[in-house]
């Protein structure tokens, strides 16, 4: 699952930067944008599109630069998800919720059984009754 992203950007070279002249600044800019935005996108679920977009634009709003500060990038991103991606994500979320609910229910049942078995006065009586042992 993935976002469809539209990135609008503008870059400027820092003429005061030291080092060799950049041969392909636009390729570097696209690489920096792709890497920075992908790092943020991986932290969000597909259904959290708005939060992911806000986080990306917060980073882009500060301006992005390469390590040598040779290029400064101003950018804005807009994210979209297709209907099929959204439907798949909703289905996956529902399945995860069912699984977590079943796991939580089983955990509670096991905790109750542990409490019952370790109760000094009730444990042995309950255990014998559950095994079908008849008194008297």
């Amino acid at each position: 699952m993935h976002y469809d992203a539209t990135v609008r950007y503008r870059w400027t070279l820092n003429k005061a930067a030291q080092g060799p002249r950049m041969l392909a600044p636009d390729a570097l800019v696209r690489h920096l944008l792709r890497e920075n935005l992908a790092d943020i996108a991986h932290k969000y679920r597909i259904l959290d599109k708005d939060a992911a977009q806000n986080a990306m634009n917060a980073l882009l709003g500060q301006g992005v630069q390469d390590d040598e500060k040779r290029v400064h990038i101003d950018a804005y991103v807009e994210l979209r998800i297709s209907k099929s991606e959204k439907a798949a994500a909703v289905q996956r979320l529902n399945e995860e919720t069912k699984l977590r609910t079943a796991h939580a229910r089983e955990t509670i049942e096991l905790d109750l059984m542990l409490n019952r078995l370790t109760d000094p006065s009730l444990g042995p009586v309950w255990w014998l009754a559950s095994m079908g042992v008849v008194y008297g």
Side-chain angles (χ1 to χ4, degrees), residues 37-51:
L37 296 179
D39 287 345
I40 294 172
H42 290 300
K43 296 176 184 176
Y44 291 88
R45 300 182 130 214
I46 194 79
L47 294 175
D48 296 331
K49 174 189 70 81
D50 292 336

Side-chain angles (χ1 to χ4, degrees), residues 7-11 25-27 29-30 33 60 73-76:
V7 181
R8 293 179 181 86
Y9 65 94
R10 175 180 62 222
W11 56 266
D26 202 49
V29 167
R30 287 192 308 272
L33 289 172
L60 295 174
I73 308 163
D74 293 311
Y76 172 82

